[in-house]
Amino acid sequence: EVQLVESGGGLVQAGGSLRLSCAASGFIFDDYAIGWFRQAPGKERERVSCISDSDGNTYYAESVKGRFTITSDNAKNTVFLQMNSLKPEDTAVYYCAAEMACTEGHYLGYYGKEHWGKGTLVTVSS
């Protein structure tokens, strides 16, 4: 069973930084990607970034390009999201998810199932 556990959220002032972690386990196949999504109160969930395990391909939403960096430590099966120059509009619950590929579009699922972590809250004060 695929399991994902996020950590690293918290309260930070605008301009500050946080590093989120997503510890992943339970994958049977090597072909997967880890995506970071966020959902702010009253808004739809949006894709922030993702990284492909097989080739390291990455994607960033325009709103976070140049500020967020996604990396992976395959030895630890952990994906990190380094968030710099945080803005109040980055405030949201951040989720990591396992999916078939790293793409720009909607969440793809992983072999027909959805696999999400429980989320970690990021609050950026102005």
Side-chain angles (χ1 to χ4, degrees):
E1 180 73 20
V2 174
Q3 292 189 334
L4 302 158
V5 180
E6 305 97 335
S7 61
L11 173 64
V12 64
Q13 288 188 331
S17 299
L18 284 173
R19 188 176 80 155
L20 305 184
S21 300
C22 173
S25 62
F27 291 101
I28 297 176
F29 305 106
D30 291 334
D31 56 341
Y32 66 91
I34 297 294
W36 282 101
F37 297 77
R38 67 186 181 187
Q39 188 164 21
K43 294 189 177 181
E44 292 188 356
R45 183 178 64 198
E46 64 173 340
R47 180 185 292 276
V48 174
S49 181
C50 57
I51 187 166
S52 171
D53 178 73
S54 59
D55 60 10
N57 179 48
T58 59
Y59 163 82
Y60 297 95
E62 283 297 324
S63 58
V64 305
K65 261 183 192 176
R67 299 189 298 122
F68 290 12
T69 303
I70 190 168
T71 57
S72 65
D73 183 337
N74 291 336
K76 297 181 179 180
N77 292 326
T78 301
V79 171
F80 302 99
L81 186 68
Q82 178 67 43
M83 307 187 297
N84 298 330
S85 303
L86 283 162
K87 304 175 181 180
E89 50 264 44
D90 294 318
T91 295
V93 177
Y94 285 70
Y95 301 90
C96 65
E99 50 188 344
M100 294 299 297
C102 176
T103 67
E104 179 178 352
H106 294 293
Y107 174 62
L108 297 175
Y110 184 66
Y111 285 99
K113 294 184 179 181
E114 295 199 18
H115 298 282
W116 295 88
K118 293 184 178 181
T120 185
L121 176 63
V122 172
T123 304
V124 184
S125 63
S126 58

